[in-house]
Amino acid sequence: GMASPSSYMTALMEQTADGIDKLQRTLKQSEGSRHKEVDAMLAVSETLAGLSDRLDAQAQQASKSEDANKVLADAIAQLAQAASKPEAPAAPAMDDATKQHIRNLDVGIKRLIEEQSRSTEMLADELRGELKLLSRTIAAGLDNRGGRADEVSNS
């Protein structure tokens, strides 16, 4: 009832070959998963770069708006100051229409400032949402990666 040594060696070699085949398949799957993870990380990186570019552009736009608002506010203050002086010899007298235009400019500037503030808040909210989604995506990718490592070690 005992198997010959050559039968035992043949069975052992077949079992080893099967183990090597399984290991090879597992390594191929792991490599494929790694490529997918690298692609996902590249996509995340590109998304972050895009968000960074948008933030930079908005910061530049906000800076330009603030500069323009300051210049306009200074001009309005000078006009208002000139209008409040009794009769400045160098300044022409302002009629009611000019005063109304200045008031309208002041109201318009205040609206622009409020809208810029709302726009900044909306962008910040949007970025928060994007970052939450990004962190969830990364966490899910890491969870999946940990799950695959457990499967490979259990095989």
Side-chain angles (χ1 to χ4, degrees):
M2 289 193 61
S4 69
S6 66
S7 299
Y8 175 75
M9 289 300 287
T10 303
L12 188 59
M13 288 173 144
E14 287 177 1
Q15 187 177 11
T16 302
D18 288 343
I20 290 172
D21 286 342
K22 285 182 184 179
L23 179 61
Q24 186 178 16
R25 283 192 301 272
T26 301
L27 288 174
K28 282 183 182 179
Q29 289 174 349
S30 177
E31 184 66 18
S33 296
R34 189 184 68 78
H35 283 296
K36 288 179 184 177
E37 288 173 3
V38 167
D39 291 344
M41 293 304 282
L42 286 174
V44 166
S45 174
E46 289 173 2
T47 300
L48 285 175
L51 289 173
S52 176
D53 291 344
R54 285 178 59 191
L55 280 175
D56 289 344
Q58 176 140 16
Q60 289 175 355
Q61 183 182 11
S63 177
K64 288 178 183 177
S65 285
E66 287 176 20
D67 291 344
N69 288 341
K70 286 178 185 176
V71 169
L72 285 173
D74 289 344
I76 289 172
Q78 288 175 355
L79 285 173
Q81 193 175 33
S84 66
K85 290 183 181 176
E87 276 297 321
M94 281 204 235
D95 60 355
D96 289 336
T98 304
K99 290 178 184 177
Q100 185 61 38
H101 286 299
I102 291 172
R103 281 188 211 108
N104 289 343
L105 282 173
D106 188 40
V107 169
I109 289 172
K110 287 179 183 175
R111 285 183 189 156
L112 284 173
I113 291 170
E114 289 172 1
E115 185 166 325
Q116 181 67 34
S117 176
R118 282 192 302 269
S119 175
T120 301
E121 287 177 23
M122 285 174 41
L123 179 64
D125 289 343
E126 184 179 320
L127 286 174
R128 279 188 205 103
E130 292 286 332
L131 289 173
K132 283 180 184 178
L133 177 62
L134 178 64
S135 65
R136 288 179 186 148
T137 302
I138 290 172
L142 291 175
D143 286 347
N144 287 342
R145 183 177 177 191
R148 284 190 206 110
D150 291 342
E151 290 173 10
V152 169
S153 65
N154 289 338
S155 293

